Amino acid sequence: MLFARLARLAAGVAAISVVATAASAEIVTLKSYDGNIALTGDLTRFEDNTYFLRTLIGEIAVNATQVSCEGDACPEIELGSEFAIKGSETIGAGLMPALLLGFADQIEADVVQSRGATEGAMSMQMLSGAGDEVAKIELEVGGSADGIGALLANDVAIAMASRAMDDDELDNFAAAGFPDMATPQREQVLALDGLVVIASPGNPVDSLSIFEIADIFSGAITNWDEVGGPDMPIEVFAREDGSGTMGELSAQILNPNGVELAPSAKRFDSNEVLSDEVSVTRGAIGFTGLAYVRSAKPLAIRTECGLVATPSSFSIKTEEYPLARRLYLYTSGAPQPAQVARLLDYTRSEDAQQVIADAGFVDQGVDHIPVNDQGVRFAMAFTDPSPEFNFPQMRELMNELILAQRLSTTFRFLPGSSQLDNKAQGDVERIVEYLMQEDEKGAEVLLVGFTDSVGRADLNRALSFRRADQVRRAIVEAGGQALLDNVNIRVLGYGE
């Protein structure tokens, strides 16, 4: 863990001007801003924003933006304090301001808020106890595409997006000479959310299928009586083009069904305003993030297998809610003030997870529920009419899980790859922390692998076991012997 952490510390870049250089070979201590790493050694030189320390394990290079330096030999470094954040209204309207206040509290800074330089922007100045400026952050809310475009133009340090970058955007960054923007170093999953279809509270319709939602938003269905409701015209409300929320509706519902948003749809540039309008418009339907349902009525989703999925924190954490989505922060790797890295570190912390939950979004902390609470899912599985259904295998699974607690962590792989995706790589560290708790000592942990239904059942089961074992290896590598001393990990694979 030490060497992996030091490698990350040495990887970042930032804008720094050196006022004085270090004396030769004097002892200093470098401390990571999260307090987890402290490294003491002889400071031999300071070059290109990097400390070079001579230690018992050899010379180590550490990026200056990622650590504080203590000792008489530490160089005086003048760090810029101003940077900008721009993008998704879903994140920027409430969640990011709350996270910035939490970050200020962590670094013990006072906050002065004011209007930003552009319309709809806010400025947040963070001051030390002595009144010195620690950071000045410009926060501008727009659409995900706006933030990503500003990041490409080097106008901001962080882009907020309520969807992942698309292939065209990734190509634009590559063409401009930026590193791969889909790596964990550039793409961070900030929180989870669910795209929620909403109606007015008086509407008696409680659920819709994905196909019905596609037909309604495309204009093929125009009256609620076509989906089991009253004889009442449907008014479609939608977010503006360029918003991540609109992009998710297109990606998850419209595009897969080969349709486009109805031209008659009324467009909104705010989740809050859209939700409020839906709640007071009798025949309206709209969509928004989980945190912005407000007074509107959320509609459940009927899946093809007969399950009725409602948006909940647990179903979104497992990403089994059909319209679950991830919220992202992107950085380009261009030089930035040190506080950018510190802020990103804070957003991954346990304190930040509570801020995320309090703001109405879904954090990435590990939760658990009794397997028995998912009885409907198992009942639907046992009534599967397909000829491929393996009753003995399902009974074997039930016997393994009957007294278990299901954790909310679901490890996913990159499409067509054996590599864990960016969120799963972060989940490895989170699950290790969870399993290292004293309360978990002696517990048996089951890693259960599954696949899709494409291909032969026997090959799928073998693949599911290999995938689960790959996750086990990643967890053991991260947790080491201390983890194995605390819990017993067992791997199972059940195919599709």
Side-chain angles (χ1 to χ4, degrees):
M1 290 295 288
L2 175 63
F3 294 104
R5 179 58 178 165
L6 290 177
R8 288 200 294 274
L9 292 180
V13 291
I16 297 178
S17 60
V18 180
V19 179
T21 59
S24 61
E26 292 190 45
I27 293 177
V28 300
T29 298
L30 304 181
K31 294 183 177 180
S32 63
Y33 290 122
D34 60 11
N36 291 330
I37 300 294
L39 185 64
T40 299
D42 291 325
L43 179 62
T44 59
R45 65 189 189 280
F46 180 85
E47 297 175 355
D48 297 327
N49 308 335
T50 305
Y51 296 104
F52 291 87
L53 262 65
R54 185 169 61 239
T55 71
L56 294 176
I57 59 175
E59 187 174 69
I60 295 175
V62 181
N63 186 276
T65 69
Q66 304 293 311
V67 295
S68 62
C69 183
E70 298 179 0
D72 293 340
C74 291
E76 294 182 13
I77 300 174
E78 186 176 308
L79 296 174
S81 61
E82 296 188 19
F83 62 93
I85 303 172
K86 184 176 181 177
S88 167
E89 190 260 353
T90 299
I91 301 171
L95 177 55
M96 184 54 71
L99 287 169
L100 291 175
L101 291 174
F103 173 62
D105 185 61
Q106 185 195 61
I107 63 176
E108 299 182 345
D110 295 323
V111 175
V112 178
Q113 296 186 46
S114 59
R115 290 186 177 181
T118 60
E119 185 178 355
M122 65 174 290
S123 180
M124 190 173 290
Q125 186 181 31
M126 299 183 184
L127 305 173
S128 70
D132 298 323
E133 183 176 276
V134 177
K136 186 175 182 181
I137 303 168
E138 188 89 358
L139 175 63
E140 185 174 353
V141 172
S144 297
D146 297 327
I148 292 169
L151 187 66
L152 178 63
N154 276 324
D155 292 335
V156 299
I158 300 172
M160 305 175 291
S162 53
R163 57 167 175 83
M165 280 195 191
D166 61 33
D167 290 341
D168 288 341
E169 290 164 337
L170 292 172
D171 289 344
N172 290 339
F173 276 87
F178 288 96
D180 185 358
M181 296 298 292
T183 64
Q185 290 76 27
R186 305 277 74 85
E187 177 190 86
Q188 175 186 328
V189 177
L190 171 67
L192 302 173
D193 190 21
L195 194 64
V196 183
V197 178
I198 54 176
S200 64
N203 193 321
V205 174
D206 294 320
S207 65
L208 295 169
S209 72
I210 292 292
F211 304 110
E212 289 172 335
I213 296 170
D215 283 346
I216 289 172
F217 279 93
S218 66
I221 292 177
T222 59
N223 196 294
W224 283 103
D225 64 7
E226 298 177 68
V227 290
D231 181 8
M232 179 170 59
I234 297 176
E235 292 188 55
V236 175
F237 293 175
R239 285 294 308 276
E240 81 284 7
D241 290 333
S243 78
T245 304
M246 183 64 222
E248 283 295 307
L249 181 80
S250 297
Q252 297 201 47
I253 296 177
L254 300 180
N255 295 345
N257 288 283
V259 298
E260 296 181 349
L261 184 70
S264 59
K266 185 176 180 180
R267 311 301 287 270
F268 295 83
D269 59 8
S270 163
N271 284 309
E272 292 178 331
V273 175
L274 184 151
S275 182
D276 289 346
E277 284 295 309
V278 168
S279 70
V280 297
T281 305
R282 186 167 174 263
I285 189 170
F287 59 92
T288 189
L290 182 66
Y292 296 99
V293 171
R294 297 162 70 85
S295 298
K297 175 183 177 178
L299 302 182
I301 309 297
R302 295 197 308 273
T303 66
E304 291 185 62
C305 62
L307 288 173
V308 177
T310 57
S312 68
S313 175
F314 195 86
S315 67
I316 291 172
K317 279 193 179 188
T318 62
E319 297 185 290
E320 290 173 351
Y321 174 64
L323 301 181
R325 64 173 175 171
R326 299 174 178 184
L327 305 179
Y328 298 89
L329 299 180
Y330 285 98
T331 55
S332 68
Q336 299 294 347
Q339 298 293 9
V340 173
R342 293 185 71 181
L343 172 61
L344 292 172
D345 280 344
Y346 167 75
T347 63
R348 290 185 284 264
S349 70
E350 187 174 338
D351 287 346
Q353 300 312 300
Q354 187 60 54
V355 173
I356 290 168
D358 289 345
F361 294 87
V362 179
D363 65 272
Q364 297 181 80
V366 181
D367 287 339
H368 60 83
I369 62 171
V371 166
N372 288 345
D373 285 2
Q374 299 202 306
V376 174
R377 293 180 63 86
F378 286 109
M380 294 301 299
F382 274 109
T383 58
D384 185 352
S386 64
E388 295 83 10
F389 178 69
N390 189 322
F391 183 84
Q393 185 173 302
M394 179 57 68
R395 184 171 57 189
E396 176 187 334
L397 173 62
M398 284 299 302
N399 287 336
E400 290 281 4
L401 302 182
I402 192 66
L403 298 177
Q405 296 279 325
R406 182 181 178 186
L407 302 185
S408 58
T409 306
T410 301
F411 294 95
R412 300 184 186 277
F413 294 78
L414 293 174
S417 168
S418 60
Q419 180 182 344
L420 291 170
D421 71 13
N422 292 349
K423 180 180 182 300
Q425 292 181 45
D427 284 337
V428 168
E429 296 184 12
R430 282 184 279 269
I431 203 71
V432 167
E433 291 180 7
Y434 180 87
L435 296 178
M436 286 298 294
Q437 297 177 103
E438 185 64 28
D439 291 347
E440 300 302 317
K441 191 172 184 62
E444 181 177 55
V445 180
L446 301 179
L447 292 173
V448 185
F450 297 94
T451 64
D452 57 31
S453 59
V454 178
R456 283 171 38 188
D458 58 336
L459 296 180
N460 282 342
R461 184 167 192 184
L463 174 61
S464 68
F465 182 90
R466 290 197 301 273
R467 287 281 178 90
D469 192 57
Q470 184 176 342
V471 173
R472 180 196 63 81
R473 292 196 302 271
I475 291 173
V476 170
E477 181 180 355
Q481 188 59 46
L483 175 65
L484 295 178
D485 290 342
N486 204 56
V487 297
N488 173 42
I489 301 177
R490 191 154 59 91
V491 171
L492 303 171
Y494 285 96
E496 58 200 60

